[in-house]
């Protein structure tokens, strides 16, 4: 996560970097508290609102996550991370059409925003549009080769498209990148878990 846009002076950026690091290290509740304090001082920081949305999403605080993303978009209507975050909330609620609209809007704004393409993969698979899901996954991976979730999503797309050699190569790539849910990934490959509804 790059902490630059939406930030003011150097001290503000440094503080937000520290909070983002806390969040990325898995201290989500601490990050929520710190973001609350930060936003009292910097209420127009769209990136801080977006990170707060991600943190609330991780904690399954759906209303709080949506509110934070919407505030980020009020401040910066082109904030693709917030649009994608709202799309994820819509997907989790089973509203795939609205989720896809948010993801599509994000890639219209930033055609190189890999995370939105990667989020489209899940919708494609849920709707049994495996070929589309694979196209989205390949696009995401071409744009971002450092994100373990993107590599894992491509592995899953290859799995559902019955391409085991490619699936296994991407699973290895996801593991090397530090993907945290390798057991779940293997369970999908064994047919014990599914992304289908």
């Amino acid at each position: 996560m790059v902490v630059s846009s939406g930030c003011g002076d150097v001290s503000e950026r440094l503080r937000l970097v520290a909070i983002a690091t806390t969040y990325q290290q898995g201290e989500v509740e601490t990050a929520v508290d710190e973001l609350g304090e930060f936003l009292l001082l910097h209420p127009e920081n769209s990136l801080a609102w977006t990170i707060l949305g991600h943190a609330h999403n991780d904690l399954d605080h759906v209303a709080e996550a949506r509110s934070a993303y919407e505030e980020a978009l009020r401040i910066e209507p082109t904030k693709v991370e917030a649009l994608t975050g709202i799309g994820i909330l819509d997907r989790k609620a089973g509203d795939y059409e609205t989720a896809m609209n948010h993801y599509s809007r994000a890639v219209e704004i930033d055609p190189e925003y890999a995370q939105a393409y990667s989020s489209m993969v899940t919708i494609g698979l849920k709707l049994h549009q495996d070929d589309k899901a694979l196209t989205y996954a390949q696009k995401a991976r071409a744009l971002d080769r450092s994100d373990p979730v993107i590599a894992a999503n491509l592995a899953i797309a290859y799995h559902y498209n019955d391409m085991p050699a490619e699936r296994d190569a991407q699973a290895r790539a996801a593991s090397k990148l530090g993907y945290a849910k390798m057991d779940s990934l293997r369970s999908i490959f064994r047919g014990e878990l599914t992304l289908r509804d």
Side-chain angles (χ1 to χ4, degrees), residues 90-133:
D90 291 332
R91 177 191 49 84
K92 287 179 176 181
D95 188 351
Y96 303 143
E97 183 178 343
T98 303
M100 191 61 93
N101 288 339
H102 282 101
Y103 301 148
S104 296
R105 185 165 163 227
V107 297
E108 284 173 16
I109 293 167
D110 182 357
E112 303 213 350
Y113 187 55
Q115 287 70 19
Y117 288 107
S118 190
S119 293
M120 292 174 172
V121 174
T122 304
I123 304 270
L125 294 173
K126 284 187 173 294
L127 297 176
H128 297 264
Q129 298 171 345
D130 299 343
D131 54 339
K132 284 185 179 180

Side-chain angles (χ1 to χ4, degrees), residues 53-116:
H54 295 340
H56 278 304
N57 191 3
D58 289 351
L59 296 169
D60 292 323
H61 300 161
V62 176
E64 294 89 342
R66 186 173 295 276
S67 177
Y69 290 137
E70 287 172 352
E71 185 62 14
L73 290 168
R74 181 195 65 76
I75 296 163
E76 186 179 345
T78 59
K79 193 78 176 163
V80 293
E81 299 87 350
L83 282 168
T84 302
I86 289 176
I88 290 168
L89 294 175
D90 291 332
R91 177 191 49 84
K92 287 179 176 181
D95 188 351
Y96 303 143
E97 183 178 343
T98 303
M100 191 61 93
N101 288 339
H102 282 101
Y103 301 148
S104 296
R105 185 165 163 227
V107 297
E108 284 173 16
I109 293 167
D110 182 357
E112 303 213 350
Y113 187 55
Q115 287 70 19

